[in-house]
């Protein structure tokens, strides 16, 4: 029993070393490229570094399954190259027993990504909200408010978050009465939405008769920065911990939530997806050779397989998002299929 625990800790350490090495290389490349790309658009290198870090954290969930797969291959390769894998097999340890620490490590990575990395990434993005994080129509932001006797429509090319206020850039506001007659049109380079309503220091205001006035303008509204973000942010802009309550609240007012439900199930079963990729990595790593001379070939085929699986996972997610498949089935079916297929391969290899 003691020897089994020592071996498990050894393999557990090797797995995290493999995944860590892959993450270090991939993150380094992405961070460097993003920093160089963003540097001309910022006055200081510090701001460019901050933006590159935010982008990197956004990309982590995208390549994390690939990193787990590649890390598993690297860990098995180092075991085979050092003959440690041969010794472990000679001791009567089956591929299933040898894979357990890897699967446990993958599960821990999935849990950490869901409960820590996702909320952290959402928190970083919340401090840097722009139009690219919103669902746009014709390349513009459209927000509509209806009251008993008036309609207010906001159109803007971009927005930013300043403290707790939203600032709409290159904005136009249309104010209509209950019969949809235009009462006023307001054009301004910047309009601020706060808890008290809309206001700007410089606006061109056209009334119903076409008269134009220039100056400060303000209007009380029911919409607030929080309600705008809650209504228009995309599913990946809401953290895992906030998604259940958000889905419940928005469903009660009739807002379609299928995309948010897909996002919630995706994050909840991310540990299962990590286990699936680790299992696939174990399957690709099986060899009877003392030296794994085919590692490069297997590695290349494995990477290609990962991209194909990533494409299939997106297809399943799309089928769940448009209602063709139940959201839960669309998320859990692909990793279960991967685990089953990889398990069958490992079992067949073990009996050879």
């Amino acid at each position: 029993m003691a020897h089994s625990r020592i071996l498990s800790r050894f393999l557990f350490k090797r797995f995290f070393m493999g995944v860590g090495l892959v993450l270090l290389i991939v993150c380094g490349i992405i961070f460097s490229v993003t920093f160089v790309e963003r540097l001309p658009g910022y006055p200081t290198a510090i701001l460019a570094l901050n933006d590159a870090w935010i982008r990197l954290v956004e990309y982590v969930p995208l390549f994390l399954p690939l990193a787990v797969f590649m890390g598993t291959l690297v860990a098995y390769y180092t075991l085979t190259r050092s003959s440690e894998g041969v010794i472990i097999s000679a001791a009567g340890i089956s591929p299933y027993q040898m894979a357990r620490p890897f699967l446990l490590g993958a599960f821990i990575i999935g849990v950490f990504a869901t409960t820590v990395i996702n909320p952290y990434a959402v928190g970083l993005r919340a401090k840097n909200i722009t139009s690219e994080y919103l669902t746009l129509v014709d390349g513009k932001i459209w927000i509509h408010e209806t009251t008993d006797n008036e309609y207010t429509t906001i159109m803007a090319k971009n927005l930013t978050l300043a403290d707790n206020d939203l600032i709409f850039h290159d904005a136009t506001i249309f104010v209509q009465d209950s019969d949809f007659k235009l009462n006023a049109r307001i054009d301004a380079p910047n309009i601020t939405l706060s808890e008290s309503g809309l206001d700007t220091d410089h606006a061109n205001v056209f009334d119903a008769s076409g008269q134009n006035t220039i100056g400060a303008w303000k209007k009380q509204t029911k919409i607030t920065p929080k309600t705008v973000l809650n209504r228009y942010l995309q599913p990946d802009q809401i953290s895992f911990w906030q998604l259940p309550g958000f889905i419940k609240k928005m469903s009660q007012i009739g807002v379609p939530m299928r995309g948010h439900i897909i996002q919630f199930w995706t994050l909840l079963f991310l540990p299962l997806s990590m286990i699936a990729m680790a299992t696939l990595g174990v399957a690709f790593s099986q060899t009877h050779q003392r030296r794994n001379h085919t590692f490069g070939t297997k590695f290349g085929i494995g990477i290609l397989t990962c991209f194909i699986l990533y494409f299939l996972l997106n297809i399943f997610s799309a089928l769940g998002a448009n209602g063709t498949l139940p959201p839960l089935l669309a998320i859990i079916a692909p990793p279960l299929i991967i685990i089953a297929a990889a398990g069958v391969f490992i079992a067949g290899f073990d009996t050879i």
Side-chain angles (χ1 to χ4, degrees):
M1 185 64 68
H3 295 294
S4 177
R5 287 197 297 267
I6 293 173
L7 177 60
S8 295
R9 286 197 296 268
F10 171 75
L11 294 175
F12 195 72
K13 180 181 178 181
R14 283 300 182 92
F15 170 75
F16 274 100
M17 288 176 61
V19 174
L21 177 62
V22 173
L23 283 175
L24 183 63
I25 295 173
V26 175
C27 289
I29 294 174
I30 293 177
F31 185 80
S32 301
V33 172
T34 306
F35 172 68
V36 173
E37 179 186 3
R38 298 284 174 172
L39 187 58
Y42 286 91
T44 65
I46 299 299
L47 293 176
L49 284 171
N50 181 66
D51 187 62
W53 172 251
I54 293 174
R55 301 291 172 175
L56 175 62
V57 175
E58 290 179 12
Y59 295 146
V60 165
L62 297 178
F63 62 77
L64 193 55
L66 180 62
V68 169
F69 172 80
M70 294 171 64
T72 303
L73 286 180
V74 170
Y76 265 88
Y77 174 71
T78 57
L79 290 173
T80 303
R81 188 182 63 176
S82 62
S83 299
E84 291 166 330
V86 176
I87 296 172
I88 293 173
S89 299
I93 305 298
S94 70
Y96 287 117
Q97 293 172 309
M98 190 173 174
R100 286 174 188 170
F102 291 79
L103 303 185
L104 177 61
F107 176 80
I108 292 174
I109 291 175
V111 171
F112 184 78
T114 295
T115 60
V116 178
I117 295 179
N118 173 259
Y120 175 69
V122 170
L124 284 179
R125 289 194 294 263
K127 300 176 183 177
N128 191 38
I129 293 295
T130 61
S131 62
E132 65 184 281
Y133 297 110
L134 303 181
T135 303
L136 307 183
V137 178
D138 295 332
K140 296 181 177 62
I141 302 164
W142 292 84
I143 298 174
H144 188 70
E145 179 191 54
T146 302
T147 61
D148 293 336
N149 57 0
E150 197 173 62
Y151 300 94
T152 302
T153 303
I154 305 171
M155 181 187 70
K157 290 185 178 180
N158 200 354
L159 66 78
T160 55
L161 184 65
D163 295 327
N164 294 321
D165 299 335
L166 284 177
I167 301 177
F168 296 95
H169 303 286
D170 294 327
T172 300
I173 298 178
F174 303 95
V175 181
Q176 299 168 281
D177 61 18
S178 57
D179 295 324
F180 297 100
K181 180 182 178 181
L182 185 65
N183 287 337
R185 169 176 170 161
I186 300 91
D187 295 315
N190 297 297
I191 297 178
T192 300
L193 174 64
S194 63
E195 295 293 330
S196 60
L198 294 162
D199 70 86
T200 179
D201 294 330
H202 184 82
N204 289 327
V205 182
F206 299 87
D207 59 21
S209 62
Q211 296 296 318
N212 173 235
T213 57
I214 299 176
W217 176 86
K218 64 172 53 180
K219 185 180 188 300
Q220 291 185 340
T221 60
K222 292 182 178 180
I223 57 175
T224 64
K226 183 177 180 180
T227 57
V228 169
L229 294 179
N230 284 349
R231 176 60 182 86
Y232 289 92
L233 281 180
Q234 299 174 10
D236 61 354
Q237 302 304 312
I238 305 168
S239 76
F240 170 75
W241 301 111
Q242 297 172 335
L243 270 171
F246 179 84
I247 291 171
K248 181 179 179 181
K249 180 176 67 176
M250 300 305 286
S251 297
Q252 289 173 347
I253 62 176
V255 177
M257 286 287 105
R258 185 171 291 274
H260 296 77
I261 293 173
I262 288 289
Q263 175 71 1
F264 174 72
W265 288 126
T266 299
L267 292 173
L268 183 63
F269 287 99
L270 186 59
L272 180 64
S273 298
M274 297 297 105
I275 291 174
M277 299 311 294
T279 307
L280 188 66
V282 171
F284 269 89
S285 302
Q286 299 305 304
T287 179
H288 288 301
Q289 301 175 2
R290 186 178 178 85
R291 293 289 187 269
N292 194 355
H293 299 293
T294 61
F295 174 78
T297 303
K298 289 184 177 181
F299 194 84
I301 296 175
I303 298 302
L304 179 61
T305 303
C306 273
F307 280 111
I308 295 174
L309 291 176
Y310 180 76
F311 176 72
L312 294 177
L313 288 174
N314 285 338
I315 291 178
F316 271 84
S317 295
L319 292 176
N322 64 22
T324 304
L325 290 176
L328 181 58
L329 178 63
I331 297 305
I332 67 172
L336 290 178
I337 293 172
I338 294 172
I339 292 173
V344 169
F345 179 85
I346 296 172
F349 184 88
D350 193 31
T351 57
I352 296 176

